[in-house]
């Protein structure tokens, strides 16, 4: 037969034991959270090199960073526009904006394009959350009203 000391079972020792157990459980559970790891990249030095396949200037874009990235703007930041894995244009930051001329293969092309942004200060790489349509004579933002894109970390 097991006997329990009434003082221990009914007293403050049991409460202390329960509180200590709860603290240990919370500490262990919070230590198990997976921490997000963000990769830092060297300058990608994006280049648009296939000028023979893309001879039409079909779209222009003036892009502004989202408000949360504005404090980190640096003169060495780069942004590029991609259709699939093909770089169609590169822009460096100038007065807080990125200006693009985006060529297409022909006047009828309509492609889904994504912007990628590299921050010189943080080394982080981002991609636009939503595509833009690149087509003949498209205007994506202006200097007076730049297109502010939403970016996600790669």
């Amino acid at each position: 037969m097991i006997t329990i000391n009434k003082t221990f079972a009914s007293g403050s020792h049991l409460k202390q034991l329960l509180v200590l157990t709860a603290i240990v459980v919370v500490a262990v559970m919070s230590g198990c959270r997976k921490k997000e790891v963000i990769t830092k990249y060297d300058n990608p030095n994006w280049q648009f090199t296939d000028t023979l396949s893309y001879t039409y200037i079909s779209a222009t874009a003036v892009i502004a960073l989202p408000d949360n990235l504005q404090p980190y703007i640096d003169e060495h930041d780069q942004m590029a526009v991609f259709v699939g894995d093909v770089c169609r244009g590169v822009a460096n930051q100038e007065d807080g904006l990125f200006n693009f001329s985006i060529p297409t293969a022909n006047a009828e092309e309509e492609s889904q394009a994504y912007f990628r942004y590299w921050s010189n200060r943080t080394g982080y790489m981002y991609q636009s959350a939503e595509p833009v349509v690149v087509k003949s004579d498209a205007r994506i933002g202006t200097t007076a009203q730049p297109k502010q894109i939403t970016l996600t970390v790669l």
Side-chain angles (χ1 to χ4, degrees), residues 58-143:
S58 69
T60 60
V62 180
I63 305 297
L65 293 178
D67 292 337
N68 65 318
L69 294 177
Q70 292 287 336
Y72 305 103
I73 289 178
D74 183 273
E75 66 184 58
H76 301 292
D77 291 353
Q78 281 194 1
M79 189 177 287
V81 61
F82 288 85
V83 174
D85 290 332
V86 177
C87 178
R88 294 278 187 96
V90 179
N92 290 313
Q93 181 276 133
E94 186 176 324
D95 297 327
L97 301 175
F98 296 85
N99 297 287
F100 290 91
S101 293
I102 307 168
T104 60
N106 57 57
E108 291 79 33
E109 179 183 354
E110 286 191 24
S111 299
Q112 300 284 317
Y114 287 88
F115 292 93
R116 292 186 191 156
Y117 165 67
W118 176 75
S119 171
N120 182 59
R121 283 198 182 165
T122 65
Y124 297 161
M125 186 88 64
Y126 302 85
Q127 180 168 299
S128 56
E130 300 292 326
V132 295
V133 176
V134 174
K135 61 183 181 177
S136 183
D137 295 326
R139 300 290 175 260
I140 305 163
T142 64
T143 304

Side-chain angles (χ1 to χ4, degrees), residues 19-31:
V19 169
L20 181 60
T21 303
I23 291 171
V24 169
V25 167
V26 169
V28 168
M29 296 292 284
S30 66

Side-chain angles (χ1 to χ4, degrees), residues 12 20 41 52 83:
S12 64
L20 181 60
Y41 295 85
L52 296 177
V83 174

